[in-house]
Amino acid sequence: MTIVRVGAGAAVPDLLTVEARDLLARADRVLVDDESLRPLAESVAASADRVVATIEGSGLDPVGLVVHLVAGDGLSPSAFPAPRPDDLVPGTAPDAAPRALALLEAQGADLDVVRPLRGLTVVVTRAAAQTEELARPLRRLGARVVEVPTISIEPPADGGAALAAALADPARYEWLVVTSANGARAVLDRLPDARRLAGVRLAAIGPATAAVLRAAHLPPDLVPPRYVAESLLEVFPPPRRSGAGRVLVARAAVARDVLPDGLRRAGRPVDVVEAYRTGPGRPSAAALAAAAEADVACFTAPSTFERFLALAGPERLAPVVACIGPVTAAAVEGAGVAPAVVAPVHTIPGLLDALVDWALTHPDRGRRLREV
């Protein structure tokens, strides 16, 4: 095991030294005694799972490259107990961030374009294992991220037996429809041999779902122009004759019936199987308290919003609510809250683009900035 102490400097990813970024990206474990450095470590490390408070008692093998990320330049001994480093990589001066921004401004750079979400605290409510897909680009755009995992992705109630049975003889289906990336992963986990899908046409609700299938060399035959069930129904080909062309829909345990009901009305027999279910997340009390002070809360599914209200209550909801699309927005509106941002493209990149567009057109952008 090799231990390298790395100075966090200004605790801004873009201002880490090249060597520091390389070490953090390659590290098998990143130690953070100071929890305020965890967002920085997770934004640069290869995986958020590699960032730990200590090796001892964590259940992780102390092998490979261990980076001990410390506040400041790292030249002074840490105030916290720490393993003795084999090497040291100093960080930039702690005041480098404001000095760098001042330099950019003096050179005529538009800081709202360089870091359009700077000064905003944004709540991410996705399942813990899927947080980084949204949290990491938010940090790069200048936001401070509060991770509040409101849901967890869990196996079906039957352990996946119904899905496995359906996939054991897929030749009886003309179409297999997956309505989320989680559903696509569940299908692949239960599919013993992808060649069994030969002759079965695949439909994916959106690009993230399609990407999971393509990674398994199963390119979808149909992706709707808008990533909602209604759009998929509009482009789904009719059966050649009534009652023909059976469709297997693999989806979450709790989901809207728009798609299976619409397919049945079009004359297709439909089997709906539970591919996964969303369970409760377990955010820390500190995360919930931080969410109460945030400027923006992002929701990527109705379940994330509903669970947030159950965990935190409406009084902890940020003044600006951003939704990935109209289905989530409808759930928010149903609770009497008007979302400020609804992404026209219903993907994580689409949500980020919509949030940036909103930030650039709203100088008075949130609770914190209004109080300054």
Side-chain angles (χ1 to χ4, degrees):
M1 176 175 66
T2 300
I3 300 174
V4 181
R5 176 179 291 168
V6 170
V12 175
D14 295 345
L15 295 179
L16 287 171
T17 65
V18 172
E19 187 175 2
R21 289 182 66 88
D22 176 65
L23 285 166
L24 286 164
R26 291 191 294 108
D28 297 291
R29 302 286 180 264
V30 180
L31 305 185
V32 286
D33 299 312
D34 184 343
E35 281 297 308
S36 68
L37 297 179
R38 182 176 290 273
L40 171 67
E42 292 179 347
S43 71
V44 183
S47 167
D49 294 338
R50 299 189 185 186
V51 180
V52 297
T54 176
I55 286 184
E56 294 181 6
S58 68
L60 301 174
D61 295 330
V63 296
L65 173 62
V66 175
V67 170
H68 183 203
L69 188 65
V70 297
D73 57 19
L75 297 173
S76 302
S78 173
F80 302 93
R84 182 180 175 208
D86 298 298
D87 202 354
L88 170 67
V89 175
T92 54
D95 66 345
R99 286 194 291 108
L101 291 174
L103 180 60
L104 283 171
E105 195 166 29
Q107 293 174 344
D110 186 341
L111 297 185
D112 284 336
V113 173
V114 176
R115 309 278 276 185
L117 302 184
R118 65 191 179 94
L120 290 176
T121 299
V122 180
V123 178
V124 174
T125 56
R126 306 188 82 200
Q130 299 173 337
T131 295
E132 278 304 294
E133 185 184 0
L134 178 56
R136 184 171 294 186
L138 281 171
R139 294 188 186 105
R140 288 173 179 163
L141 291 166
R144 175 179 177 268
V145 174
V146 177
E147 297 180 11
V148 182
T150 58
I151 62 171
S152 59
I153 306 302
E154 300 179 355
D158 65 356
L163 180 59
L167 294 173
D169 184 20
R172 57 199 173 107
Y173 296 105
E174 181 185 353
W175 283 90
L176 167 61
V177 179
V178 283
T179 61
S180 71
N182 289 317
R185 294 186 190 100
V187 165
L188 295 175
D189 287 343
R190 295 288 172 182
L191 189 65
D193 187 342
R195 288 174 294 183
R196 289 190 178 184
L197 292 180
V200 180
R201 304 181 74 183
L202 302 177
I205 200 70
T209 308
V212 175
L213 295 175
R214 288 194 182 98
H217 307 289
L218 293 170
D221 299 281
L222 181 62
V223 179
R226 294 178 295 111
Y227 313 135
V228 291
E230 290 83 351
S231 182
L232 182 58
L233 284 173
E234 291 171 0
V235 297
F236 210 91
R240 294 186 179 91
R241 63 183 186 279
S242 180
R246 181 172 292 273
V247 179
L248 174 62
V249 177
R251 67 177 196 179
V254 178
R256 299 187 306 150
D257 289 326
V258 170
L259 181 59
D261 287 351
L263 290 171
R264 291 185 182 112
R265 283 195 299 271
R268 286 186 177 275
V270 179
D271 292 338
V272 178
V273 293
E274 179 182 332
Y276 67 98
R277 59 178 47 217
T278 55
R282 295 172 178 80
S284 66
L288 291 174
E293 300 300 319
D295 304 299
V296 180
C298 291
F299 298 103
T300 56
S303 58
T304 60
F305 175 74
E306 292 157 4
R307 184 60 184 165
F308 181 90
L309 291 187
L311 285 166
E315 67 278 3
R316 289 183 173 177
L317 187 63
V320 174
V321 171
C323 300
I324 198 168
V327 176
T328 303
V332 172
E333 291 166 351
V337 178
V341 179
V342 180
V345 179
H346 319 319
T347 62
I348 294 297
L351 177 58
L352 289 164
D353 288 344
L355 190 55
V356 167
D357 288 344
W358 169 84
L360 293 176
T361 54
H362 288 75
D364 184 15
R365 301 185 297 179
R367 177 185 292 138
R368 282 175 179 260
L369 293 185
R370 285 201 303 270
E371 293 175 352
V372 172

